[in-house]
Amino acid sequence: MTFIFLTGTITFAQQYFPLRGYVYSTDNEPLQNASVRVFDLQTGTQTNEAGQYELSLEQGLHRISVSYLGFLPQTIEIVIDSSTIYNFFLEPDEKVLSEVVVNVKKKDYSYEVIKNVIENKERWQNQFQTLAAKTYVKSVEEIISLKPQKEDEKEENKNPFMADSLPNMNFFEANIQHFQSLPNKQKEERTGVKKFGDIHDLYYTSTTDGQFDLYQNLQVVEKLGENALISPFSTVGYLGYKFKLLETYHNGERLVYRIQVKPKELGNSLYEGEVEVLDGLWAIHKVKLSVPKRLLIEYNSFSFEQEYEFVQDKRVVTKEMFEWKLKGGGETKNGRTEVSHSDFVFDSTYAKNFFGPEVGVTTAEAYKRDSSYWENIRPKPLNSTERAVVKAKELEEIRLNSKEYLDSVDAIYNKVTPLKVLWSGVGHINRAKKVDWRFGSLPELLNPVAIGGWRVQYRIQYMKRFENRKRIDVTPYLNYGFLNKDLRGFINFNFLYNPIRQSSIFASAGQGFDVINGNATISDIIRRNNFYINTGLNLSHRTELFNGFYFNTQLQWNKREDFGDFKFSRLGDELFEQNEPVSFPTTKIFKTNFRIEFTPGQKYLREPNEKIVLGSRWPTFSLRSNFGFNSDNGLKKAFNYTEFNVSQYFNVGIFGTSEYRMALGKFMDTTRLAPMDYQYQRGGDPIWFSPNMYTYQLIPQTFSTFDWFFESHYEHQFNGFLTSKVPLLNKTGIRTVGGAGLLYVPERKYQYSELYAGANRVFRLGKSRFRLGAYYVVSQSNKDGIRSGFKFSLEPYNRDKNTWSF
């Protein structure tokens, strides 16, 4: 009660009074959007169209400043003890006016304009708490072949509905209801989708592709590159950019500054182009910027434009355009996406969990929209070329889905030809039943480098699809060895029964050759002592129990045998010295494997019968436990192994990307272990830079652990942050990388650590991107002292995951 009483007393003592008035020029012209600031309270306002202002001020002395572009600022000190009226009359600043009207020192004033935008951007960032808008997207990509087609290829690829004069084009359009909640939550609902051709390279087929909010200091657009971009209106923008005022013009009654934006120095995180700013409001009007080529991975060039407008007194982006160029595989792709935002609704109330991990959903009806739907929702009609291409593609789609055409395609596919038998393999499809058979070709029959010499083998694949993306795959496989006259084989069965949760059941049975250590080095993995004969049954299940939480279970029964008197070919003797198979007692074992994997905050898009995972800003945690039971005479405990992992890949702004992984593993029980049940620490390869999140580069040889161990790995890719600033070197496209690793194995009293630094370069081979790297590694261990060496790597770019991985 005392606290409430005191609080009420203090509140009562703080009296506020209005201060109002007008801001005019000395010629009695009202000055709209003049800035009225209260220094001691760090607050203020702007004048309206009549030049009027109003403030509510606490009783006492205040210092008030009024400023307007082209006029001398005015500052007064005034005592507020009642309702007060005070009018300001500002005198013209001839120097500033000459800079604005005449092309003199415009560059100097452009810095003042940018400074005003930075000081006022918080106002435009916090105009609303939530936003909903209708977003229309049209993306077109024209494909220009750089290789002249042969006449027979032209005839084979000819589309009867496409005139020769029409371009080869990928096309996409969508009608999206977009929702946003400050500071960074968003969601979309795609209610209409039309697409033709390959849309993988098209930018902004979803609002989740990335947004260029230039009021934010940094923009991270993973689909373009791995580093963040610095906005020209960043609080540190002055350090990276130089500005030049190109012109001023009027947009209605408002003066607009058109300013050139250029990087001060070489780099891969700075835009180049133009921005337009509204005078007095200090708000962005338009932008036209290009992304530095050094940042891009997939595209050869990329630029974008934005237009801002007032909607319900809120300043929002209403139009966007993205343009790109992509070269490779003997063709050039020129793309353009136009985006229109309309029907804005601000500060609506949404359910508590509305903005959750599901950031986008495509309705089942979205792909079924007819032509009249698109005619009604397009902000402007398609141009004549687009209209002709879409019409031709629609007719082609009707033809391609007709029973007559599908039957003819099936007849061609099912026809047995000498070329199929000798090279590609024979297939048989029944489209009505959604069944597909695949039979191996003659070259697949022979395997000259198999264990034990030449083997004849044959594989058959059966697949059945369902309307809801469920799928069954069955693969039987047999092989026969000439040298040992032995027949082996297996059958695999996989049933994807819930595509949304990626739930599947896998089963296999058979006998074949298996590896003891699947993580062996390249030089050891094909040695005879890494193989054994495995007969067994395997049943596994994987599902997502809830978003980001995956549960994997596996049951196995195996009979593991060494090769005994098995005969080997001479090839292994010529490749390796002391290439003898391992000898061990035959074991029969029953194993269970449980693994849980959890990524908090996993974001995803939901398509009809499909879930597309976008990633998370949180690490991934996993825990697995393997239990083994000897089954020679009943079930007896053999071993128990448990391992905990945490890993994460994340962006570090303009400085590049980082990745780490840590693992802690331990055998809880080692009553009876066979070599294939060991936990191995992989040795380094002589030249190859092995997968750095799971291996160490300079451990002399692979060894096993039977108690507990700790391992950690870290790598940072600068992605050109350093080299792009160095003249000449920046033209080579070379990027730098650094990393470290630590391994601790108490049972061996072994400690190992390593540091490495290197350089890599991205290059294109056909339509694929690869990263070639060279590294210098230094290691230290209490067993082998200090070692060092050079390593090399080659990594492909995974376009689906936007990562470098196989």
Side-chain angles (χ1 to χ4, degrees), residues 338-393:
E338 297 177 15
V339 183
S340 174
H341 306 284
S342 61
D343 299 347
F344 292 88
V345 178
F346 300 99
D347 293 323
S348 298
T349 301
Y350 298 96
K352 181 179 179 180
N353 298 323
F354 181 81
F355 293 100
E358 184 183 79
V359 296
V361 59
T362 303
T363 63
E365 297 78 19
Y367 293 101
K368 302 175 183 179
R369 303 298 189 181
D370 58 18
S371 299
S372 61
Y373 170 86
W374 294 107
E375 292 291 342
N376 290 329
I377 64 106
R378 287 174 183 140
K380 63 179 182 180
L382 302 179
N383 63 38
S384 58
T385 302
E386 293 168 350
R387 194 162 53 249
V389 170
V390 169
K391 183 65 176 177
K393 293 286 189 180

Side-chain angles (χ1 to χ4, degrees), residues 19-31 34-38 45 47 50-55 57 62-68 71-78 84-91:
L19 169 65
R20 61 173 68 92
Y22 292 85
V23 178
Y24 281 85
S25 69
T26 52
D27 295 329
N28 287 322
E29 292 291 333
L31 300 180
S35 175
V36 183
R37 303 289 294 174
V38 185
T45 187
T47 57
Q52 188 178 26
Y53 74 92
E54 183 171 352
L55 294 164
L57 301 179
H62 298 281
R63 190 180 183 196
I64 312 295
S65 174
V66 177
S67 60
Y68 190 77
F71 291 81
L72 294 171
Q74 190 176 132
T75 302
I76 65 165
E77 290 186 349
I78 187 170
T84 305
I85 295 175
Y86 193 94
N87 299 322
F88 292 86
F89 295 88
L90 303 186
E91 296 182 1

Side-chain angles (χ1 to χ4, degrees), residues 406-469:
L406 295 176
D407 288 344
S408 66
V409 171
D410 290 353
I412 295 173
Y413 181 80
N414 295 340
K415 185 178 181 180
V416 179
T417 64
L419 182 61
K420 291 181 180 180
V421 173
L422 294 173
W423 183 251
S424 61
V426 177
H428 186 277
I429 189 170
N430 186 326
R431 202 174 298 268
K433 295 183 179 180
K434 294 182 171 56
V435 171
D436 191 2
W437 290 87
R438 171 75 164 76
F439 303 90
S441 63
L442 284 179
E444 294 179 57
L445 285 174
L446 293 177
N447 184 358
V449 293
I451 296 293
W454 286 76
R455 302 188 72 87
V456 61
Q457 58 191 16
Y458 201 67
R459 184 191 310 267
I460 300 174
Q461 293 175 292
Y462 166 86
M463 179 173 65
K464 179 174 175 60
R465 296 182 182 273
F466 301 87
E467 291 288 350
N468 53 8
R469 300 182 66 91

